[in-house]
């Protein structure tokens, strides 16, 4: 067999292999789509079942509350009628009225309704990792109360600058923490709140990063516009001023909004949060980075440069883990 025949045979076999591989891709992705469709239906069924059970419980609680109120109203009306009668009528069989009043069951505890079916999408963690980026902290934007170590990946809301030793170099050497880098432009540094921005600037695309909370204190993470350094109160941290973030500790989390929202208690404890920014879609989403459970999503049409945002409560610390995949 000549070389030309061999080349033609190799080319034909390669085309067949390529064709089969394309068919294999389509078949496997069809399986994956079907699997995800089935999982979606299962989750929706669980959610519907929970909804029906909660509605039934609410109905029972409402009926019980109505019965308590009706019984109390009847008792109050009876006492009122007796009090308007003669003294003799009031003294007739008082023991019965007192016993009924004493035995009246008025125990009713208001139950806070929670959605228990978690939004945990299979393989979502792996997909988010594709967009993972390395986050660096812009120490020149940090409030003077924050200290840093490990090239800025560790940060802590530590002792005030005025309380640090005069020999700050020695203090930094022995403690492992250093104060934020100095800048002559105070406008670009947080003056009132213990916050710091990331160096990364986002104007398009999809980006994902993770933040670890290694103690039990509250921190806030998310994204923000660049012109927020002047805020002077924690209550200002919301989308209204250009901050999209959640405040969280291992035992609770809450999105930062203009209207107060009751904190959610995660199960299990929340130690690492994933932040996913889809600039084009106008979404900033937060996940439990350990099990992929969705925590919250802000939706907004972004029109300006965005940067990572960090806030630390008193003595709180956080860690930006190294990138393990992605971009």
């Amino acid at each position: 067999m000549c070389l030309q025949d061999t080349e033609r045979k190799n080319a034909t076999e390669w085309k067949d292999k390529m064709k089969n591989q394309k068919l294999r891709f389509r078949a496997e992705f069809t399986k994956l789509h079907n699997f995800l469709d089935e999982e979606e239906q299962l989750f929706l069924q669980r959610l519907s079942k929970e909804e029906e059970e909660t509605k039934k419980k609410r109905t029972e609680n409402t009926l019980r509350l109505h019965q308590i109120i009706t019984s109390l109203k009847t008792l109050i009306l009876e006492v009122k009628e007796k009090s308007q009668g003669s003294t003799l009528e009031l003294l007739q069989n008082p023991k019965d009225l007192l016993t009924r009043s004493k035995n009246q069951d008025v125990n009713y505890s208001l139950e806070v309704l929670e959605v228990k079916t978690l939004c945990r999408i299979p393989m979502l963690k792996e997909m988010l990792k594709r967009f993972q980026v390395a986050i660096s902290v812009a120490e020149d934007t940090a409030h003077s109360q924050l200290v840093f170590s490990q090239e800025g990946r560790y940060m802590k809301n530590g002792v005030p600058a005025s309380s640090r030793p005069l020999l700050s170099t020695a203090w930094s050497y022995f403690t492992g923490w250093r104060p934020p880098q100095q800048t002559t432009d105070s406008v670009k540094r947080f003056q009132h709140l213990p916050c710091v921005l990331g160096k990364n600037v986002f104007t398009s695309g999809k980006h994902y990063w993770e933040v670890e909370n290694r103690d039990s204190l509250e921190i806030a993470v998310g994204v923000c516009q660049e012109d927020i350094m002047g805020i002077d109160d924690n209550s200002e941290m919301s989308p209204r001023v250009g901050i999209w973030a959640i405040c969280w500790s291992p035992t609770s989390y809450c999105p930062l909004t203009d209207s107060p929202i009751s904190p959610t208690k995660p199960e299990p404890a929340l130690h690492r949060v994933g932040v996913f920014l889809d600039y084009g879609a106008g979404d900033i989403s937060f996940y439990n980075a350990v099990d992929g459970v969705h925590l919250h999503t802000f939706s907004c049409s972004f029109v300006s440069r965005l940067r990572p945002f960090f806030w630390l409560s008193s003595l709180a610390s956080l860690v930006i883990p190294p990138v393990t995949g992605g971009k």
Side-chain angles (χ1 to χ4, degrees):
M1 183 181 291
C2 67
L3 287 175
Q4 287 181 327
D5 292 337
T6 303
E7 280 294 326
R8 280 195 291 269
K9 182 181 178 182
N10 286 340
T12 301
E13 290 177 351
W14 173 82
K15 288 180 181 178
D16 289 340
K17 289 178 181 178
M18 185 61 69
K19 180 181 178 181
N20 291 334
Q21 190 72 340
K22 288 179 180 179
L23 292 174
R24 190 173 293 114
F25 268 112
R26 291 194 182 99
E28 292 304 311
F29 271 96
T30 297
K31 289 180 187 176
L32 181 58
H33 292 158
N34 292 337
F35 167 73
L36 290 175
D37 286 340
E38 291 171 1
E39 286 293 300
E40 179 185 5
Q41 292 306 313
L42 284 174
F43 276 111
L44 291 175
Q45 287 172 13
R46 291 176 195 166
L47 196 59
S48 296
K49 182 179 179 181
E50 180 187 340
E51 184 179 20
E52 291 304 316
E53 291 175 351
T54 304
K55 283 181 179 179
K56 182 180 178 181
K57 197 170 184 179
R58 280 190 59 202
T59 302
E60 293 172 352
N61 290 344
T62 302
L63 179 60
R64 168 160 170 69
L65 183 59
H66 177 72
Q67 290 172 341
I68 292 174
I69 293 172
T70 301
S71 181
L72 286 174
K73 283 183 176 180
T74 302
L75 198 59
I76 291 171
L77 183 61
E78 189 173 341
V79 172
K80 185 177 180 181
E81 289 176 350
K82 283 184 175 294
S83 67
Q84 291 175 347
S86 65
T87 304
L88 183 61
E89 290 176 340
L90 183 61
L91 295 175
Q92 284 180 350
N93 200 16
K95 188 176 180 181
D96 175 62
L97 189 61
L98 290 173
T99 302
R100 285 162 52 203
S101 175
K102 184 179 179 180
N103 294 336
Q104 180 68 48
D105 184 8
V106 293
N107 292 323
Y108 183 86
S109 57
L110 182 65
E111 182 180 356
V112 178
L113 300 177
E114 299 282 358
V115 177
K116 298 176 182 178
T117 304
L118 301 176
C119 183
R120 185 187 288 112
I121 309 301
M123 297 174 292
L124 183 63
K125 282 200 310 177
E126 291 77 7
M127 295 184 70
L128 290 173
K129 291 281 188 180
R130 293 177 52 217
F131 303 101
Q132 191 167 14
V133 294
I135 297 297
S136 301
V137 174
E139 294 184 28
D140 58 348
T141 67
H143 187 275
S144 59
Q145 206 163 301
L146 301 183
V147 290
F148 301 86
S149 70
Q150 298 292 322
E151 299 179 344
R153 291 197 304 108
Y154 288 62
M155 65 185 83
K156 182 180 181 70
N157 184 351
V159 295
S162 59
S163 302
R164 293 176 194 147
L166 292 176
L167 300 176
S168 60
T169 302
W171 177 83
S172 298
Y173 177 80
F174 286 111
T175 63
W177 297 96
R178 66 174 185 280
Q181 297 171 357
Q182 298 300 313
T183 175
T184 56
D185 192 350
S186 62
V187 177
K188 294 183 179 180
R189 179 184 293 283
F190 284 97
Q191 299 293 317
H192 308 289
L193 297 182
C195 302
V196 64
L197 301 184
K199 288 182 180 178
N200 311 64
V201 177
F202 305 122
T203 57
S204 63
K206 299 179 177 71
H207 313 274
Y208 174 78
W209 62 96
E210 296 179 354
V211 179
E212 233 178 74
N213 188 338
R214 292 191 173 177
D215 53 40
S216 59
L217 303 175
E218 289 186 334
I219 62 175
V221 298
V223 298
C224 67
Q225 296 174 354
E226 294 183 291
D227 57 350
I228 62 160
M229 249 69 81
I231 60 173
D232 56 11
D233 192 277
N234 290 341
S235 62
E236 293 185 61
M237 297 192 299
S238 71
R240 179 175 53 84
V241 298
I243 298 175
W244 296 268
I246 65 168
C247 181
W248 61 285
S249 70
T251 58
S252 68
Y253 69 90
C254 183
L256 297 178
T257 61
D258 293 322
S259 304
I261 297 178
S262 299
T264 299
K265 296 181 179 180
E267 290 289 345
L270 189 59
H271 292 290
R272 185 184 287 208
V273 163
V275 184
F276 178 58
L277 169 66
D278 187 341
Y279 193 103
D283 287 339
I284 173 73
S285 298
F286 302 87
Y287 300 89
N288 183 329
V290 176
D291 58 15
V293 170
H294 175 264
L295 304 176
H296 186 77
T297 292
F298 291 100
S299 294
C300 175
S301 296
F302 301 124
V303 293
S304 60
R305 290 154 53 103
L306 299 178
R307 294 172 67 174
F309 171 81
F310 307 92
W311 169 89
L312 296 86
S313 63
S314 180
L315 299 180
S317 60
L318 66 81
V319 180
I320 302 174
V323 173
T324 55
K327 299 180 183 179

